[in-house]
Amino acid sequence: MIYNDTIAAISTAPGVGGIGIIRVSGMDAIQIVDEVFKGVSKKTLQESPSHTIHYGHIVNKEGKVIDEVLVMLMKAPKTFTREDVVEINCHGGPVPLEAVLMEVIRKGARLADSGEFTKRAFLNGRIDLAQVEAIMDIIEAKTEVSLSQAVNQLEGKLSKQIKEYQDTLIQIIARIEVSIDYPEYDEDEPLANDFVDEIKALNDQLKKLLATADTGKMIREGIKTAIVGQPNVGKSSLLNALLEENKAIVTDIPGTTRDVVEAYLNIDGMPFVLLDTAGIRETEDIVEKIGVERSKESIEKADLVLMLIDSSRALDEEELNIINELTNKTVIFVLNKIDLHSVITQEILEQYTKGQPIIQISAMKQNGLDTLRQAMKQFIVKQGISIGQEATISNQRQKQSLVKAIESLDKVEDTIDIGMPEDCIAIDLHDAYGHLGNIVGEALKDEIIGELFSRFCLGK
Ligand code: GDP
Ligand code: ZN
């Protein structure tokens, strides 16, 4: 796609250091920058080779120097947008940065909308939609692991996988369509039977990919970890100890943590979102009851539960009730306050934990926290989350398209089972192909594209 306008924006975050970059992209990008840039070299940018750096100054219409700059010249098509791109690295801080941008706009560039550079890259076929989303994920990545997942996707792991599935489908579709067009081609045997195994195998692969959606989401957004237990067992103390800061208020009045406190924790690059819930307890106190409801909600939403127990006092019935509610969850039992005289030992607790791990700690004395962190990391290993090995589905939009593709293939399998004619199969195969295409953004509606790019910040 060729645009006849040239866009420009500040592409670095505002207010960070003295250096900022102005990105200019489009047909007239080079000519526009030539008009405001006085380089040390005799050659204009137009005359210079692509992918070179030029030192000089940006001057205004009176010929006055605005800023000392380095200009990166990148000629189409080997650029991010596949258009001519010039990046001006300014050194003078926010005021000259704005002034340089104004000069570029005065010479005919238009201020870019949010995400417009990425949108051009997408519409010019430089990247696909899964990669667009990866760029957003990279900007928002919580930890190194989240980042590496996003980078994988940007490199096209998912896109490549989807293309392979589409290729397989196209071959099946082509053969089926031949049999529809030339029914005499093989009359004795219904042709579809040839493809049953191939379609099943493909559908199985799609289902496998779908299974990565939950882990993909966890890596992207953080593993939701609920810290639960009776009031006063040390939930807030543990949260603070893990975060090494005073995020939650620690008190010895039972039930003080009334709201859920949320915080990010990075364990060797693995992202966790910790949720400190109010003590789970049947209660008449209305304020506390709201908190109790919230903590049940957070258990439900949690990927991982840290069930905290005070080792210095006996288990009560309510605690046993909570433990029973945790049956479908991955739980780490945390026996706290081991610095005190212990009433509950590991052996006693083991009778209730159904083989789930028990870690002994003192949140107050900061003992056992490393072991707990290792156990939390172990959760990731058990989930079979492998970073960088395979393509993963990492957001809801991709997931929904994949689910629809699987539904279409399920229908195909059913149709074959009941012996319907081939043309019925072909329609569903085409549908499956289309849904797969949506993952990488083939034939997407303009509104969806508009909505997506508006979520970017300016200059990207
Ligand atoms: P929460 O209600 O579960 O959030 O419990 P808090 O974190 O507010 O702690 C309740 C009380 O137990 C506070 O007085 C803490 O100082 C104390 N506490 C927490 N952890 C420990 C521990 O490991 N050892 C001892 N001795 N006291 C602790
Ligand atoms: Zn608390």
Side-chain angles (χ1 to χ4, degrees):
M1 193 176 296
I2 296 182
Y3 297 89
N4 53 16
D5 58 351
T6 295
I7 53 173
I10 298 171
S11 73
T12 37
V16 188
I19 297 178
I21 297 174
I22 288 161
R23 186 185 270 171
V24 190
S25 176
M27 285 172 64
D28 302 325
I30 299 173
Q31 184 205 319
I32 288 171
V33 178
D34 258 335
E35 288 180 36
V36 297
F37 175 66
K38 294 287 159 278
V40 288
S41 148
K42 300 264 180 310
K43 277 190 194 162
T44 64
L45 296 172
Q46 305 246 37
E47 294 158 349
S48 306
S50 182
H51 292 75
T52 48
I53 299 176
H54 305 262
Y55 170 79
H57 296 89
I58 300 290
V59 293
N60 67 12
K61 58 175 183 282
E62 286 87 38
K64 209 177 132 244
V65 169
I66 302 175
D67 202 358
E68 177 192 43
V69 297
L70 283 176
V71 168
M72 318 282 169
L73 173 66
M74 292 162 280
K75 294 185 178 174
K78 281 191 178 167
T79 69
F80 178 59
T81 55
R82 286 202 169 155
E83 301 174 326
D84 286 339
V85 173
V86 184
E87 288 187 354
I88 308 171
N89 289 45
C90 300
H91 294 103
V95 176
L97 194 63
E98 288 286 345
V100 170
L101 179 62
M102 284 328 295
E103 283 309 308
V104 169
I105 294 205
R106 215 168 50 80
K107 293 291 181 193
R110 170 172 69 71
L111 196 61
D113 294 333
S114 300
E116 202 172 359
F117 292 98
T118 314
K119 186 175 173 181
R120 284 193 176 188
F122 169 66
L123 294 174
N124 287 332
R126 165 77 169 67
I127 53 175
D128 67 33
L129 197 59
Q131 289 171 307
V132 168
E133 285 165 339
I135 291 172
M136 265 192 271
D137 290 348
I138 285 172
I139 296 168
E140 291 165 7
K142 304 281 187 295
T143 68
E144 301 88 313
V145 173
S146 326
L147 184 64
S148 88
Q149 170 172 288
V151 168
N152 267 335
Q153 188 163 317
L154 180 61
E155 284 171 351
K157 271 222 166 93
L158 176 62
S159 313
K160 226 179 105 204
Q161 187 75 76
I162 296 293
K163 286 263 147 51
E164 281 173 25
Y165 296 153
Q166 283 187 307
D167 284 349
T168 309
L169 260 177
I170 273 294
Q171 282 168 25
I172 298 173
I173 290 171
R175 278 142 69 193
I176 285 185
E177 274 168 5
V178 164
S179 81
I180 295 169
D181 293 344
Y182 307 97
E184 70 285 1
Y185 180 68
D186 191 346
E187 276 185 338
D188 308 334
E189 207 184 329
L191 244 168
N193 281 347
D194 292 357
F195 308 121
V196 177
D197 292 343
E198 275 176 72
I199 290 168
K200 276 213 171 91
L202 178 64
N203 205 4
D204 284 348
Q205 279 181 300
L206 295 191
K207 284 171 184 165
K208 247 194 189 153
L209 181 62
L210 181 64
T212 67
D214 290 341
T215 56
K217 180 166 175 278
M218 273 191 247
I219 295 290
R220 194 166 74 98
E221 296 176 1
I223 296 145
K224 288 203 188 67
T225 308
I227 305 179
V228 301
Q230 293 281 73
N232 246 12
V233 294
K235 296 182 296 297
S236 303
S237 305
L238 173 61
L239 179 74
N240 289 338
L242 285 172
L243 295 175
E244 297 160 71
E245 58 168 305
N246 288 322
K247 178 107 189 177
I249 314 146
V250 182
T251 58
D252 29 22
I253 309 156
T256 9
T257 319
R258 293 241 149 89
D259 267 316
V260 176
V261 182
E262 249 190 67
Y264 280 100
L265 175 65
N266 178 343
I267 302 179
D268 299 338
M270 303 291 178
F272 290 85
V273 191
L274 297 180
L275 311 167
D276 174 22
T277 62
I280 295 184
R281 200 157 70 151
E282 306 296 319
T283 172
E284 293 308 306
D285 178 339
I286 292 177
V287 184
E288 193 170 309
K289 205 161 196 166
I290 297 168
V292 170
E293 283 307 312
R294 290 228 175 104
S295 60
K296 280 193 179 159
E297 270 171 41
S298 24
I299 288 181
E300 211 143 282
K301 279 189 274 175
D303 304 310
L304 172 66
V305 176
L306 302 185
M307 172 73 201
L308 218 62
I309 287 158
D310 183 343
S311 66
S312 70
R313 54 167 190 77
L315 285 171
D316 60 33
E317 199 161 327
E318 285 173 61
E319 246 159 351
L320 294 175
N321 285 337
I322 304 171
I323 294 176
N324 282 331
E325 284 203 22
L326 293 172
T327 40
N328 295 321
K329 287 281 165 185
T330 306
V331 187
I332 297 173
F333 286 88
V334 183
L335 203 49
N336 189 30
K337 307 197 188 183
I338 53 165
D339 55 297
L340 300 177
H341 171 76
S342 73
V343 175
I344 305 176
T345 58
Q346 173 112 10
E347 289 70 40
I348 294 173
L349 192 55
E350 269 168 6
Q351 300 167 19
Y352 306 97
T353 56
K354 304 199 176 89
Q356 305 253 42
I358 301 172
I359 311 290
Q360 306 193 32
I361 67 159
S362 165
M364 195 189 201
K365 299 255 153 79
Q366 314 239 326
N367 285 328
L369 294 178
D370 270 338
T371 318
L372 177 58
R373 286 191 194 96
Q374 291 313 311
M376 289 170 73
K377 252 181 79 182
Q378 221 23 60
F379 166 78
I380 295 182
V381 177
K382 278 200 208 117
Q383 293 289 309
I385 300 179
S386 53
I387 318 301
Q389 306 307 312
E390 297 137 45
T392 47
I393 288 286
S394 61
N395 67 41
Q396 202 55 31
R397 191 195 62 76
Q398 296 169 356
K399 185 178 171 179
Q400 276 165 6
S401 299
L402 186 58
V403 166
K404 284 188 190 147
I406 290 170
E407 281 170 2
S408 300
L409 288 189
D410 283 346
K411 261 208 214 145
V412 171
E413 289 184 27
D414 290 347
T415 311
I416 294 173
D417 279 349
I418 59 172
M420 299 265 283
E422 267 113 43
D423 40 354
C424 299
I425 302 166
I427 293 168
D428 288 322
L429 287 175
H430 273 290
D431 279 351
Y433 185 89
H435 293 310
L436 286 178
N438 284 343
I439 296 175
V440 287
E442 286 170 4
L444 266 195
K445 293 206 173 63
D446 286 350
E447 314 90 75
I448 301 179
I449 292 175
E451 196 277 328
L452 194 84
F453 287 100
S454 67
R455 276 150 56 200
F456 273 86
C457 33
L458 284 171
K460 291 288 185 275

